[in-house]
Amino acid sequence: IANVLKTCTGTGTSASCIWDGKDSQSQIVPDGVYSYTLLIADQPAKTKMKVAYGTVTVDTTPPTGSILINGNAVWTNKTAVTLTLSCADGVGGSGCAEMQISNDGVFDTEPVESIAASKLWALTSGDGNKKVYVRYRDAAGNPSAKLSDNIYLDTAKPVVSSVSDSPDPFKHHLGEVSTINYTVSDNLSGTCTIGVAFFNSLNTEVRRIIKNNVSCPAGGASGSFIWDGKDKNGVLVPAG
C-alpha cells in the first residue's frame, strides 16, 4: 500500500487503532483528509482481506467569519436586532459546527449553539455604542478569533423648542416670506431630520418642507424654515 503513515495490529474478536495524527516517523501530518483501510487475516492461513475503509480529517486551523448587526447599520432605536452570521473553515477543514454569541465578549455563561446564518438578538439597555460578539468553532473543536460588530442605540427622541414665526401676518402676494425659527437638540446622534407642515383652516395639509442631516447636538442648535406662502403645487394659498 503506498504512502502508509501508520499501521497497527490486533487480535481477537475486537481491536482498535488509535492514530495521533503523526506519520511513521512521528512527524505531525499536515491538515487534510486521510484514508484508512481495515484488513483482516485469519490466523491459520494468514490470508489478508480488505473488509472496510474510510476517511478521517486532520484539522488544526481555526475557522474564520464575521458578524453584522442589522445589516451593518450605524444606528438603531430598538434593542431588538438581527445578526447576520458567516463562518468558513477553509478547503479541507472539518466544517463550521458551533457558535457562541455574547454582549460582553466573555463567553462564560452563553450557550453553545448550532451554526446559523442569522439570529434575533437583544442588545443591552441604555443608549450608546453597543457591541455584539461571536465565536465560531469547527467540528474538530478549533475556536475562531473573537469577532464583533457595533451599533449605536438611540431610544430618546430629539427635542424641539423655542418655535416662533415672523412676520405674522405676512403679505405673500407682495413677495414677503415667513420665517419659522426653532431650537433642536438630541442626546446622542447629533444629526436629525426636521420637517414643518402647513395646514389650512380645514386642517388640510397644503405644504411640507423637510431638511435632512440637520445638526442637533445635545446642547441644542437653532435653525429655521422659510415659507413663501405657496402650496405644494407652487400656488399662493388663500389668505387666512
Side-chain angles (χ1 to χ4, degrees):
I1 301 174
N3 300 321
V4 175
L5 300 179
K6 183 178 178 65
T7 59
C8 54
T9 59
T11 60
T13 57
S14 64
S16 62
C17 180
I18 297 176
W19 184 40
D20 56 6
K22 296 179 181 180
D23 61 19
S24 57
Q25 305 300 317
S26 296
Q27 300 298 311
I28 294 176
V29 299
D31 285 7
V33 179
Y34 294 83
S35 62
Y36 61 86
T37 303
L38 179 64
L39 301 173
I40 292 181
D42 56 21
Q43 286 294 339
K46 298 192 181 301
T47 301
K48 290 186 177 181
M49 180 184 301
K50 182 172 72 174
V51 296
Y53 58 91
T55 60
V56 60
T57 300
V58 174
D59 182 6
T60 62
T61 304
T64 58
S66 64
I67 177 174
L68 295 176
I69 307 173
N70 282 358
N72 206 28
V74 178
W75 296 92
T76 181
N77 59 3
K78 299 177 181 178
T79 57
V81 295
T82 299
L83 306 179
T84 302
L85 305 157
S86 176
C87 179
D89 200 31
V91 177
S94 57
C96 297
E98 299 173 335
M99 64 183 185
Q100 282 180 290
I101 302 173
S102 168
N103 278 327
D104 58 14
V106 178
F107 302 109
D108 48 0
T109 60
E110 289 78 7
V112 177
E113 308 175 59
S114 298
I115 288 290
S118 65
K119 182 178 177 65
L120 298 178
W121 188 254
L123 304 173
T124 57
S125 60
D127 287 359
N129 187 18
K130 304 294 180 179
K131 269 192 173 185
V132 181
Y133 302 82
V134 65
R135 182 172 63 183
Y136 300 109
R137 186 178 293 113
D138 62 22
N142 299 306
S144 72
K146 182 167 61 176
L147 307 164
S148 67
D149 190 25
N150 73 294
I151 193 168
Y152 287 91
L153 176 63
D154 184 3
T155 60
K157 297 179 181 179
V159 177
V160 178
S161 61
S162 303
V163 179
S164 64
D165 61 280
S166 178
D168 186 7
F170 71 104
K171 304 178 183 67
H172 65 346
H173 65 292
L174 298 179
E176 290 185 356
V177 297
S178 179
T179 300
I180 294 88
N181 298 293
Y182 62 85
T183 299
V184 61
S185 62
D186 187 70
N187 71 325
L188 186 61
S189 63
T191 57
C192 299
T193 297
I194 302 177
V196 59
F198 300 92
F199 298 84
N200 61 20
S201 58
L202 300 176
N203 203 34
T204 300
E205 182 178 317
V206 297
R207 179 80 178 275
R208 178 175 298 215
I209 305 173
I210 302 292
K211 289 184 177 182
N212 297 310
N213 299 317
V214 176
S215 175
C216 52
S222 59
S224 63
F225 289 94
I226 295 177
W227 185 38
D228 56 7
K230 295 179 180 179
D231 63 18
K232 60 183 179 182
N233 298 314
V235 178
L236 291 174
V237 299

